Amino acid sequence: MDETIEGLLAAIEQGIEKASTTAQLEEVRVAFIGRKGQLTRAMKDLSELSPEERPRQGKRLNQLRQVFDSLYEARHRRLAAEEEDAQLAEERLDMTLPGRSPLPARLHPVTRVTRMLEEVFLRMGFSLATGPEVETVWYNFEALNVAEDHPARAMQDSFFVDLPGYVMRTQTSPMQIRAMEEARGRVPLRIISTGRVYRRDEDATHIPMFTQLEALAIDRHLGLADLKGVLLTLAREIFGASTEIRLRPSYFPFTEPSLEVDISCVVCGGKGCRTCKDGWLEILGSGMVHPVVLRNGGYDPDQVNGFALGLGIERVVMLLYGFDDIRLLYQNDLGVLSGFGDPLAPMGSQGGPLL
Amino acid sequence: MKMSYRWLTRHLPQLPEPAQVAKAFVHLGIEVAAMDPWGLDYQPVQLARVVERRPHPEADHLHLVEIEVGADSRASVVTGAQSGAPGDFVWYGPPGTRLPDGRVLATAEFRGEASAGMLLSAEELGFSHPSDGLWVWAGSDPIGTSLLSVLGGADTVFDLELTPNLAAFDQSAIGLARDLAAYFRMPQPQLPKAFGFGQDALIGMVEGGAPLYSLIVLEVDNTGVSPLWLQTLLAAIGQRAISPLVDVTNFVLWDLGQPLHVFDYDKVSLPIRVRNAEAGEVLVTLDGVERRLSSDDLIIADADRALALAGVMGGQASAVEATTTRVILESAHFDANQIYRTLRRHRIESDAALHFGKGTDAALAFNAPTAVVEHLGSVARARASQRVGEVPSAHKIAWDGDRIRRLLGVPWEDQILLENLEALGFHREAHWILVPSYRPEVQALHDLAEEVLRVYGVDRVPLKMLSGMVFPGHRSLADEHWFRLKTAWAEAGYWEVITSAFSAASREAWLDPDEVEAIAIVNPLRPEEHQLRRGLLTGMLETVAANRSRSDRGLRLYQVAPIFFRQEDRPVEAQQLVVVQTLEEAEVRWPKEPAATIHDLKAALQWVLARVGLAEEFYLGPSPAWPGWAHPGRAIAIWDRQNRRRGIVAELKPSVARWFRSRRLGVVVLNLGDAQTWTFKTAAIQRPNRYPAAVRDLSLILPEPMAYGDLRPWIEEALRSVGANLSVDYWLADRYTTSAHEASITLRFVLQSSTSTLSDKDIVAVLASVVTHLRQKDVKMRQ
């Protein structure tokens, strides 16, 4: 028996050593520890030994089995690794080839910037209202202190429709009156409205259909100073914390005093460049709501004041993304639309308090 | 509007330099579009003395002239002019001189003789002078004097943009000077005194549109030229000198803001009447246009006929000519609204109309003639005059400083408010503020607040932030819905586009004709935009075509926007969703993208509706009829819960798709209706089920015309009839067509209980019910 065990040890070592594939190694495993393997048989043969001899040989065979297992494991690990390496080498790909890109899409940049502007006002406590694009002449003009012969009607050349008393709204300002009527004299009233408006005008900076944001606030103790605070907040939330504003007296029939609002140039920071010339960019119109307009909305101008502002959203899109032809926005060229990433200026004010 | 800096200094001699003035304009709310130097082109033009003049050897009509241009400096020029005898002083433009007409002088050769620049006529230099030919200078200026220095040196011209409220009083040098005087705290400029009118019977009836009216008969010598200083100022603002009479009235217009008109005395039969035109009355205006008048037009007439459109434009028949020696000068104040209506009705944007139409200073009507007579000097003498009407006394506003402070949100004391108003020419008298006649549009306290703000400065207003009660802002429900819907489509990989609301009947003709009546645009920019869109589909497909003309990439586009139509005399706006998708292999590209199918588009719609919680608001199903553009075998209708057809998912007929540069196009059209009525269902969140699921496949054969979707209600009914407490999910696992009339499908059922592991008995009961129900509907089971 001792010789058999010695012989088995040598045969195991040699067999495992000689196996050059995992398949051959498997044959070796079957030959020794398979059901009819040599080691298995030697184990079975133990029963024929004397009771004295049996424990000693049994122990030796168990040791031999442990040797087999460890040799086998080591050899198998190595052969498997070699075979995987060979297999992977076969599967090599040209990793410079293109794959299929994901195909997500985005909202139109005007929709996105509209939403961004709305959020700024919602955070300041303004609620959003919407209204019709084919508007009555009363809401679009007369209620806003623009009588039929008022030169301001020529300022914004309107599209007329074949329905008596209606016009394509030239501004979102009619929503001022609609919101006031709905509020029935309640204060404070703070609303914004966004939507398409229409004017007979077309060049690199004007298109017949564009998008406006209107804001209106009415309260008992509300002055132009509050408007100034809201304007500065708006400018900084949209264009960044270092943005400054400049207010210039201007004229709109529905506000008095009226102010034209400039922001410090987003390109040069206010030093003066090709985009801005003098460091300032005209961005929106605003003012204190005209007493006639307050009255038309059902408010008493002796009791309350209001401010309003109107902003061309495409203008903000153009400034945020740095291009100067508004028509690009509405050619709906997928190449152009997919080029609009996230706006250049980070949203949100990182600056200190305004006041 | 253009205004010269030098002109402004006539009213404000202490005016600071132009850059400061420009800043002041911006501060006052007057936009400075441009600020340009004027006159620099006159710098090189020099006074020269003619030394010698001899005929050109080769040309009869030319002369060679030797000129002295400075000490020991001479030049030879060729001239065609007969004037400029030896000893005369003439204006010489050396090579490099730029003339007002844009020509740049050079050394040129005329029939073999070199000419270094040119001797110039007044006309070539942009001025008028009585003699033709060279501008022979009568002054005592020395040789070498620059023309620019004779003109008073360089000037600066502001190009100003006036808002309508400012146009009422800032459309003149004196108006602008008044604003600047307030800003720089200088004394207000003064108007000339009122003209001493006589009592001659020149004026007949005057109707309401002309509160103030005056006429002066002048004897004039209109053959000379205006003084150079006056010509220079007019030239700076782009006005060309014509004759003393025209130049002076023009000057007074831009200096004081009062339009004036001159009739030829001999072509008019006095007295003059100011009246409304008779409807249909005809007048040929100075621009040669025959105008049919409205009864709302105010006219100047004599006994026989209309002479002029009051305040807008004179008539050709009574126009002054070069030889006229007796004229009637008209100076009046007209109602701004009336003039504005006439201006618009006849589309005449004359300088007079643009002044009167925006509002003028009533006091000017009787004061401006003084300036005219003064500037004409010896050229004219007044022979008769008459005025009608009285300048109204100053308008008064009750003073309330608190009200102004509240409106502006400022702590400024009365003293500050009043100082700024007084600087503009307003006066306080007891509890009243007296408004000067040149500010007729200032009517109430908020107007005064605006004036204070313009002068004192918006910059001085403190910064506040919406004090008072604060409430959170919120969106409207409808807005939130539209936005979720848009966002979901973008998440699904569809790009939002925004197309024009304008369309044309011809562009929409391929759609089904006229289900609803379009709203027409009365004044479209282009014929192809003469009405409002009744659907988004045309614009969307045109967008596809435009993109495909640039690139053959696959397109997935959508839009949610209003469509417009009319119901009797009222407009209706309704929100519509349109999605378009190309259903063909896109551009040649590796690795290949499989072409999308109409089923993919339908699945996207269902995904989006589920995503926004509307899966139960709309369902898909067959329709008795399809629009003419839809592929009848590849269309399915969208129905709402009330079983109203709301839209369609369909392929376009290939013949229609081709118009839009595509072989196959899928579209979704969904009339969204009123979002307020929608009920949103969001799925409840459930714990993960820890009991194993049983998976069973059923293979079926569907005979024609049975559709896959027909199975759904039958299966639902089968599951209900078992009533087992388990969840059953099933889907199409495989499908192939066995013949033209049969499709073989495999359904995979996944059964699971939330309370126990399912037994075979449970599973068999469910499937047996399904099989039984389907067999009743003639569905065959495949072995």
Side-chain angles (χ1 to χ4, degrees), chain A residues 97-101 103-108 110-111 115 118-119 122 124-135 148-155 157-164 166 168 187-188 190 194 196 198-202 208-209 217 219-230 232-233 246-251 255-260 277 282 288-291 301-302 305-307 329-335 337-338 354-355, chain B residues 26-31 33 163-166 337 340-341 344 357-358 403 405-410 441 446-451 453-454 458-476 478-480 483 486-487 489-502 518-526 529 532-533 543 546-547 550 553-558 562 564-566 568-571 573 590-594:
Chain A
L97 287 173
R100 294 189 187 98
S101 298
L103 298 170
R106 302 199 77 163
L107 294 167
H108 193 280
V110 171
T111 305
R115 188 79 174 180
E118 288 168 356
E119 293 296 336
L122 287 166
M124 288 193 278
F126 288 75
S127 288
L128 184 70
T130 46
E133 294 176 20
V134 183
E135 184 56 284
E148 189 176 353
D149 290 322
H150 200 290
R153 283 210 193 177
M155 280 166 81
D157 223 337
S158 326
F159 284 106
F160 293 98
V161 295
D162 63 344
L163 297 169
Y166 288 91
M168 296 307 289
V187 287
R190 290 178 198 143
T194 54
R196 311 266 176 256
Y198 301 84
R199 291 187 197 172
R200 282 187 96 251
D201 211 349
E202 190 158 36
M209 180 183 99
D219 207 343
R220 258 184 261 288
H221 303 285
L222 195 68
L224 192 128
D226 297 282
L227 169 60
K228 209 168 163 178
V230 166
L232 187 58
T233 304
R246 177 176 77 167
L247 308 180
R248 289 176 289 119
S250 186
Y251 171 78
T255 49
E256 184 158 11
S258 302
L259 298 172
E260 199 82 65
K277 287 185 197 145
E282 196 173 312
M288 300 306 293
V289 180
H290 198 284
D302 291 330
N305 287 323
F307 68 72
L329 281 171
Y330 294 108
Q331 283 162 357
N332 291 315
D333 183 288
L334 202 52
L337 288 182
S338 57
L354 290 181
L355 305 175
Chain B
V26 174
H27 181 103
L28 289 158
I30 300 166
E31 204 172 318
T163 48
N165 61 328
L166 299 183
N337 287 335
Y340 189 74
R341 286 198 298 273
R344 290 241 315 228
K358 289 174 182 174
R403 188 77 185 273
R405 281 185 283 275
R406 274 209 309 279
L407 184 64
L408 300 181
V410 298
E441 86 297 350
H446 56 266
D447 298 310
L448 293 179
E450 179 172 39
E451 292 307 304
L453 201 63
R454 284 200 318 124
V458 194
D459 297 347
R460 297 187 203 242
V461 176
L463 202 59
K464 282 190 198 163
M465 193 66 208
L466 291 173
S467 37
M469 283 192 284
V470 178
F471 298 98
H474 50 82
R475 295 178 177 280
S476 67
D479 181 73
E480 194 60 57
F483 190 73
K486 289 179 183 180
T487 306
W489 278 105
E491 285 172 335
Y494 292 77
W495 289 89
E496 189 197 11
V497 297
I498 299 173
T499 60
S500 167
F502 300 119
I519 297 172
I521 298 292
V522 175
N523 55 342
L525 270 180
R526 305 180 188 81
E529 296 179 346
L532 292 177
R533 62 180 172 208
T543 301
N547 271 282
R550 293 187 281 266
R553 67 202 288 184
L555 295 167
R556 289 171 296 169
L557 311 174
Y558 78 96
F564 307 87
F565 51 93
R566 60 195 300 157
E568 287 160 12
D569 268 352
R570 297 177 60 80
E573 288 178 39
W590 189 94
K592 254 188 178 149
E593 287 282 354

Side-chain angles (χ1 to χ4, degrees), chain A residues 65-93:
Chain A
R65 173 64 196 253
Q66 281 169 10
V67 169
F68 177 89
D69 284 350
S70 71
L71 286 174
Y72 174 87
E73 278 305 319
R75 186 66 180 158
H76 188 269
R77 214 177 300 131
R78 204 172 120 215
L79 289 176
E82 281 172 11
E83 283 169 17
E84 188 184 33
D85 286 349
Q87 167 76 20
L88 296 187
E90 283 294 309
E91 291 178 4
R92 191 183 65 82
L93 290 180

Side-chain angles (χ1 to χ4, degrees), chain B residues 241-306:
Chain B
I242 293 163
S243 72
L245 199 56
V246 174
D247 298 348
V248 165
T249 52
N250 210 4
F251 178 82
V252 170
L253 169 68
W254 293 107
D255 191 43
L256 304 179
Q258 172 68 5
L260 300 153
H261 186 64
V262 182
F263 300 96
D264 187 330
Y265 181 88
D266 296 317
K267 295 177 184 166
V268 167
S269 59
L270 290 169
I272 296 281
R273 301 191 300 171
V274 186
R275 62 167 170 88
N276 281 76
E278 282 158 31
E281 202 171 346
V282 170
L283 172 70
V284 179
T285 43
L286 275 174
D287 52 8
V289 178
E290 185 181 291
R291 300 181 187 272
R292 198 157 291 276
L293 306 181
S294 134
S295 60
D296 187 42
D297 289 326
L298 190 71
I299 58 163
I300 311 300
D302 62 8
D304 310 323
R305 58 193 171 146

